[in-house]
């Protein structure tokens, strides 16, 4: 069979760049260094392209492992909605304890702003989204805009502020009292993140709930009511604190969902995220 086709392009073609170095950090042996990598999905034809929102995705892994590739197929739905997507590796607990991973995530925000024009990004509309350990980091990025201790690395003249936070079942109150009260969380997860014999002061410093004020960006929170790893109360505490400070926040409890299960990547949830982003963007226009 031989046929001729006349096709009018109606769907934007996307490109991906992988292995982009966004930060150079000390490795586990302090006299050595390594580059942290970022994957980006963006429009193929960038010249003259309108600026668009970006999503910085932070994968989970109990702070012990991270794979910036693993959720990229699910991120394609957001790229098709007109967002530039960035997914990053960050330092895990075998490389450095807190605040290293947070420092890396904030460095990634500044990198995206510094290179916004190259990747069609509106620097005023960068959203940070993460699951589990990545959710913990996403919340921390959102509430620590003015905490100088966590601003390290390159592009320090650029703010690490974000337009909004999407938190999938992240830890938000790491205080010993909170975790003793709600239980369930394996002790080694926090030891991995904060260090063996970590202090209460360090736990509080790594808790997003302790930085919330009326100036923090809007939040979208999702958590399963059958999560056996991160107690649902962690998201409830976050939501309550945001409410106290009159921060625009939406909290969805996913019925029957455990930790990291498929419910969180279904169209219903992606639609909620898309609506959240569009609401924030339109409010700022």
């Amino acid at each position: 069979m031989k046929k001729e086709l006349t096709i009018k392009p109606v769907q934007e073609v996307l490109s991906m760049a992988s292995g982009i170095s966004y930060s150079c950090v000390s490795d586990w042996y302090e006299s050595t260094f390594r580059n942290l990598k970022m994957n980006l999905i963006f429009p193929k034809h960038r010249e003259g392209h309108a600026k668009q929102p970006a999503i910085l995705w932070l994968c989970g892994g109990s702070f012990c492992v991270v794979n910036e590739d693993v959720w990229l197929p699910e991120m394609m739905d957001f790229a098709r909605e007109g967002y530039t997507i960035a997914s990053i590796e960050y330092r895990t607990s075998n490389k450095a304890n807190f605040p290293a991973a947070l420092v890396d995530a904030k460095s990634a925000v500044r990198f995206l702003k510094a290179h916004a024009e190259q990747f069609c990004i509106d620097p005023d509309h960068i959203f940070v989204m993460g699951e589990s350990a990545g959710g913990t980091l996403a919340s921390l990025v959102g509430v620590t805009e003015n905490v100088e201790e966590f601003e390290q690395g390159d592009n320090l003249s650029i703010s690490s502020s974000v337009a909004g936070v999407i938190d999938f079942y992240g830890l938000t109150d790491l205080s010993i009292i909170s975790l003793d009260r709600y239980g369930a969380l394996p002790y080694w997860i926090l030891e991995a993140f904060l260090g063996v014999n970590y202090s209460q002061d360090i736990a509080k410093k790594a808790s997003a709930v302790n930085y919330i004020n009326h100036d923090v960006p809007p939040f979208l929170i999702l958590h399963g009511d059958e999560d056996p790893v991160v107690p649902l109360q962690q998201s409830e505490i976050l939501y309550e604190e945001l409410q106290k400070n009159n921060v625009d926040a939406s909290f969805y409890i996913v019925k029957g969902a455990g930790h990291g299960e498929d419910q969180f990547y279904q169209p219903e949830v992606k639609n909620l995220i898309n609506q959240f982003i569009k609401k924030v963007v339109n409010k700022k226009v």
Side-chain angles (χ1 to χ4, degrees):
M1 180 179 70
K2 181 180 179 180
K3 296 183 70 174
E4 290 186 351
L5 296 174
T6 301
I7 299 174
K8 181 180 179 180
V10 295
Q11 178 174 280
E12 184 167 52
V13 177
L14 302 174
S15 297
M16 187 176 85
S18 59
I20 297 173
S21 297
Y22 75 88
S23 182
C24 183
V25 297
S26 59
D27 210 344
W28 68 273
Y29 186 61
E30 291 186 357
S31 63
T32 61
F33 297 86
R34 69 185 181 107
N35 291 320
L36 295 174
K37 304 298 184 180
M38 170 186 289
N39 294 331
L40 277 164
I41 304 171
F42 49 84
K44 174 186 176 183
H45 302 290
R46 290 174 283 164
E47 186 174 350
H49 195 287
K51 295 178 181 179
Q52 60 187 28
I55 297 174
L56 172 61
W57 170 251
L58 304 174
C59 182
S62 300
F63 307 105
C64 300
V65 294
V66 65
N67 186 333
E68 67 273 22
D69 299 324
V70 70
W71 291 114
L72 279 179
E74 295 299 330
M75 296 298 112
M76 284 300 302
D77 289 334
F78 298 112
R80 291 285 179 213
E81 287 289 341
Y83 309 135
T84 295
I85 306 298
S87 180
I88 65 166
E89 67 168 327
Y90 51 82
R91 280 174 288 179
T92 47
S93 56
N94 62 321
K95 300 293 185 180
N97 297 125
F98 178 84
L102 174 58
V103 166
D104 298 340
K106 291 169 79 69
S107 292
V109 173
R110 296 195 306 270
F111 178 90
L112 292 175
K113 290 184 178 183
H115 298 274
E117 187 171 347
Q118 292 173 256
F119 301 112
C120 308
I121 295 171
D122 179 351
D124 293 328
H125 292 128
I126 295 176
F127 294 78
V128 60
M129 178 167 74
E131 57 98 21
S132 195
T136 300
L137 296 174
S139 292
L140 281 165
V141 169
V143 299
T144 58
E145 174 187 354
N146 297 313
V147 183
E148 291 187 12
E149 176 183 358
F150 304 142
E151 304 291 346
Q152 303 174 32
D154 298 327
N155 303 305
L156 292 177
S157 63
I158 299 174
S159 169
S160 65
S161 64
V162 293
V165 178
I166 301 105
D167 164 31
F168 292 56
Y169 43 85
L171 287 165
T172 62
D173 184 358
L174 282 66
S175 66
I176 294 169
I177 293 174
S178 173
L179 295 175
D180 281 349
R181 180 181 304 160
Y182 300 117
L185 187 74
Y187 73 90
W188 58 266
I189 291 180
L190 284 193
E191 286 196 342
F193 185 39
L194 304 178
V196 177
N197 299 320
Y198 62 87
S199 67
Q200 178 75 322
D201 286 342
I202 292 296
K204 288 181 177 179
K205 188 177 287 189
S207 299
V209 293
N210 292 327
Y211 299 94
I212 294 172
N213 58 65
H214 66 276
D215 290 326
V216 304
F219 269 69
L220 173 61
I221 307 164
L222 298 120
H223 207 128
D225 67 350
E226 295 185 10
D227 193 322
V229 180
V230 177
L232 176 61
Q233 289 87 350
Q234 286 286 313
S235 289
E236 290 177 334
I237 292 168
L238 173 63
Y239 179 68
E240 290 169 5
E241 200 62 33
L242 291 166
Q243 290 289 96
K244 288 178 187 176
N245 286 273
N246 297 315
V247 177
D248 184 1
S250 299
F251 178 25
Y252 292 90
I253 300 171
V254 183
K255 301 295 289 183
H259 194 77
E261 293 188 350
D262 292 352
Q263 289 97 319
F264 295 97
Y265 301 95
Q266 299 307 308
E268 296 94 326
V269 171
K270 291 178 180 177
N271 287 337
L272 287 174
I273 294 168
N274 187 40
Q275 291 167 15
F276 169 76
I277 291 174
K278 290 186 182 303
K279 176 184 173 184
V280 173
V281 170
N282 291 333
K283 187 177 290 187
K284 291 190 174 185
V285 170

